[in-house]
Amino acid sequence: MKFHFLLLGVLLESSLLLAQKPKQPVHRDTPFTQDYAIKYYFKDSVEPLRVFTDRNGTIKISTKTGLFQPHAGQLLYPGTLEKDVSYRPIADKKIANLSLYQQQFVLIDNKSVLSDAWAGKLFLKHSLPDAHLFAGGSDFNFLIANGSQVEYLPKQGTGWKETGLEGRVLDIKYSNGQFYVLTDKAVYSVAEGAKAVKKVYAADNLTALEVTLSKLVVGTKNGYLELDKAGKVITPLQQKLPSADITCITAISNQLWFGSSEGAFYQKPDGKFNYYASERWLPSNQVTHIAQGEDGSVLVLTDKGLGKIMFTKMTLQEKATFYEKQVRTRHIRDGFNGTLGRMKNGNLATGTLQDSDNDGLWTSMYLGGQIFRYAATKDPQALQNCRESLDAMERLYDINKIPGFPSRSYERTGYKYEDKPWRRTDDPEWDWKSTTSSDEVIGHIFAFGAMAELIDDKDLKSRSIALIDTLMSHIIKNDMYLVDWDGKPTLWGKWHPDYVNNFPINVGDRKLNSSNIVAMLQTAYHFTKKEKYKAKAFELMKKHGYYENLMRPMKIIGQAPGNASDWSKMLSGDWNHSDDEMYYMGYWGLYRYAFNDTLKANYKKAIVDHWQFERPEKDGLWNILTAITGIQDFDLEESVWYLQEYPLDMIDWTVKNSHRKDIELLPPNFIEQTTKEVLPPDELGIIRHNNSRFILDRNGRGSSEMSAGDIWLLPYWAGRYLGVISGATTNTVKK
């Protein structure tokens, strides 16, 4: 591609760009439903049976070793399940199970059905010593069962038994004058008051039953089906589910909830499922029972404990406030935005703030978010956060003796480092980390540029410009390399044409490094007005083809040809999502600080071309940063979906989705898109923007809590600053 046209027609392009632009869409920030979980764990191994909440909001859990109740517990701080000793007079009874009748707790032991409600008047004796299943009818009539027979207990008069059931009794439900009995081989109906059991459906491997006003929903080990009240199949076996091994079914507010051996789920009106699995939501995935809780919550009982799924109204602005607190209280180390690591099974109290090779990048992204926050709100707390983060970023340059060279990180001496990049300083109290990468550098320039442009504090503005100048002077002085303590370029800090253009044109690093260095030089020139930056940028673009490189369409990017170097082949084995992050950190300076309007218009084409490849991931940051170009369609709805669906619990739990039958898997491909449609963030593992959002499984083990500073706050506050997300329009009181 020829370059000379860039200097022609600038006035024409400028007039077009200055023409009235259509307004971009704006998300009006009204309350949405935010779900989160409060978990309660059994202290010892028990066999749980049922969980219910009565009209007073009291939760009780039945197990084969007695009743339990939850203690303490809140979001991120699990409670425990303790033996229920609240009513001593039943302590000597052999309570076999628990149920709910007219919103009151009812118990069954080896002799009777009883309750403390209704002044204790409910007390019906039975003759099945091992009975453990029961349901109440219209007027305190009960049908009970053990594993092989049922007994009807009327409020008055004589009861009866039935022993001729096929299979093992699993559950009893009541609806509109009829009891329904489930065995593993059949469904039976029992008309209230009659003395007959009628088989309405037969099949093998039945596991669960729910009865609604119009139908029977029957779970199996391989899906579920729906019957009318006479037993006729009205919905055939449904198997395209998050898990087909159904263990329980409960209707809550006209919504069917399914428990399984791999978590709980319900189907939304659009046909997709909300899937609750992993310890983000449940103590374990082996679900035993599901029940309605108070205030719209849902209780999911598992073999390890109880997950209480909460649903509350929240605006994005309120969610941002929650995350701001998460970052400031648990994720700031020496001013850096970092990860709380080395945790034991999600216990925040066991976590340690960790240094990272990417301390400069993650902090740059958090700092960028706080800059946008301040620009949008003028919040003094945001300004103070900016000041503290800039202090940390600035020290990356001061703590080593290499002019303009940013350290990866720094930490106090005495920590037993195992990594070779750690270097000693003259100060015996501190060490610094070398081998700084190009992704650190582009992050620094993004944050410093945004601060120089958007922060009205003279000190912060001048310091950020000085950092841009010292970093870029280092790179130019060292012939477009980032040179470390040993006088050698770091592995990734290379923008010289001999390195960049050595890659075949379809290897992504050629396009990426060209795009990044032009963005960095433009940023340096924009704020310092030093001609050396502008001259170097045009030299690279005109003489060395960097303009062609950065404008190259994404559809060309792929694996290196067979005759390419091993390094090229290694770097192009598949799509590199860290590169996506670097591109977008660079796009701010590439587009915002373009040398002229012609370049700006063409940069816009390159950014939008890249974004088209990223659209399937529905990454809120890529979408919202694409909005800097002024395009109207940047998937704002998907960006809001990303922000709303991100879990409040950002602990890196072990998450599995590859087993699911409700998702459409794709064959292996270069861009690593595993499914036709990306799953919601709260069903995936916690990842930063440098990872594919199509990763279905993650073995996190609850070992760390990720920071919302770069993952969520940056896209949200970028959206607020760019005006595509409004401030909260309704104040809500969180439950």
Side-chain angles (χ1 to χ4, degrees), residues 76-139:
L76 298 175
Y77 298 92
T80 57
L81 295 174
E82 307 285 344
K83 275 279 192 176
D84 181 9
V85 295
S86 59
Y87 191 55
R88 292 182 63 190
I90 66 169
D92 61 343
K93 294 184 178 295
K94 298 179 180 179
I95 303 300
N97 213 337
L98 170 76
S99 190
L100 207 61
Y101 185 71
Q102 296 181 3
Q103 297 304 304
Q104 302 280 10
F105 290 128
V106 179
L107 308 173
I108 188 169
D109 67 5
N110 59 334
K111 296 179 181 179
S112 63
V113 173
L114 67 156
S115 176
D116 298 332
W118 307 288
K121 293 180 180 179
L122 175 58
F123 187 83
L124 298 174
K125 291 185 177 182
H126 65 75
S127 59
L128 299 177
D130 54 349
H132 58 278
L133 300 169
F134 64 111
S138 61
D139 186 23

Side-chain angles (χ1 to χ4, degrees), residues 420-657:
K420 292 181 180 180
W422 284 102
R423 315 301 306 172
R424 299 299 182 190
T425 70
D426 291 340
D427 185 341
E429 290 294 321
W430 294 93
D431 297 333
W432 67 279
K433 203 169 193 177
S434 60
T435 70
T436 306
S437 175
S438 54
D439 52 358
E440 308 300 306
V441 173
I442 192 61
H444 289 207
I445 294 296
F446 156 70
F448 299 154
M451 177 169 282
E453 178 185 358
L454 303 178
I455 297 296
D456 52 14
D457 182 284
K458 291 182 179 179
D459 174 63
L460 295 180
K461 186 182 293 287
S462 64
R463 288 164 60 193
S464 61
I465 293 173
L467 287 167
I468 294 171
D469 193 23
T470 189
L471 172 56
M472 296 310 298
S473 289
H474 171 99
I475 292 172
I476 286 184
K477 179 182 177 181
N478 289 286
D479 203 16
M480 307 313 293
Y481 291 106
L482 190 66
V483 175
D484 212 334
W485 64 274
D486 56 1
K488 299 177 182 178
T490 66
L491 180 63
W492 302 107
K494 301 173 182 177
W495 301 273
H496 191 281
D498 288 349
Y499 177 80
V500 173
N501 288 334
N502 189 53
F503 293 111
I505 61 171
N506 68 327
V507 173
D509 287 65
R510 182 164 177 160
K511 175 180 171 71
L512 171 66
N513 286 32
S514 298
S515 178
N516 274 186
I517 193 60
V518 171
M520 292 190 288
L521 290 166
Q522 285 187 160
T523 303
Y525 175 75
H526 182 85
F527 291 107
T528 69
K529 301 305 179 186
K530 292 184 178 180
E531 286 296 325
K532 66 178 181 179
Y533 298 125
K534 186 175 184 178
K536 179 57 70 174
F538 276 101
E539 175 194 331
L540 293 173
M541 286 194 286
K542 293 173 65 177
K543 183 178 178 180
H544 297 289
Y546 279 32
Y547 176 76
E548 284 184 74
N549 291 342
L550 71 89
M551 289 297 298
R552 189 163 288 115
M554 277 291 175
K555 65 182 180 181
I556 294 176
I557 304 303
Q559 295 178 333
N563 61 351
S565 66
D566 290 342
W567 186 241
S568 295
K569 292 176 182 178
M570 189 278 290
L571 292 179
S572 61
D574 49 34
W575 193 270
N576 190 320
H577 298 272
S578 288
D579 289 357
D580 293 327
E581 188 169 64
M582 293 173 65
Y583 276 116
Y584 270 93
M585 291 299 94
Y587 286 158
W588 182 264
L590 188 71
Y591 184 80
R592 252 351 229 200
Y593 312 132
F595 289 125
N596 58 55
D597 289 340
T598 303
L599 280 172
K600 193 169 191 175
N602 285 288
Y603 293 155
K604 175 179 177 178
K605 295 176 183 177
I607 294 169
V608 173
D609 172 71
H610 183 189
W611 171 71
Q612 292 287 354
F613 272 77
E614 297 301 324
R615 292 184 79 175
E617 286 201 75
K618 300 183 182 180
D619 188 299
L621 182 57
W622 308 157
N623 292 342
I624 289 171
L625 287 183
T626 299
I628 65 174
T629 65
I631 64 171
Q632 286 187 286
D633 183 8
F634 53 91
D635 286 350
L636 177 60
E637 289 185 5
E638 306 293 9
S639 306
V640 172
W641 171 84
Y642 171 92
L643 294 171
Q644 291 181 345
E645 289 287 329
Y646 221 92
L648 297 180
D649 179 346
M650 295 187 70
I651 293 173
D652 188 16
W653 296 110
T654 295
V655 172
K656 183 183 177 185
N657 287 288

Side-chain angles (χ1 to χ4, degrees), residues 21-53:
K21 294 181 180 179
K23 291 184 177 180
Q24 291 180 305
V26 178
H27 170 71
R28 185 171 175 265
D29 187 17
T30 56
F32 63 96
T33 299
Q34 176 68 58
D35 48 1
Y36 64 92
I38 301 174
K39 294 169 293 183
Y40 305 86
Y41 288 83
F42 289 112
K43 293 180 178 179
D44 301 305
S45 178
V46 300
E47 188 171 343
L49 299 172
R50 297 287 188 268
V51 59
F52 291 103
T53 302

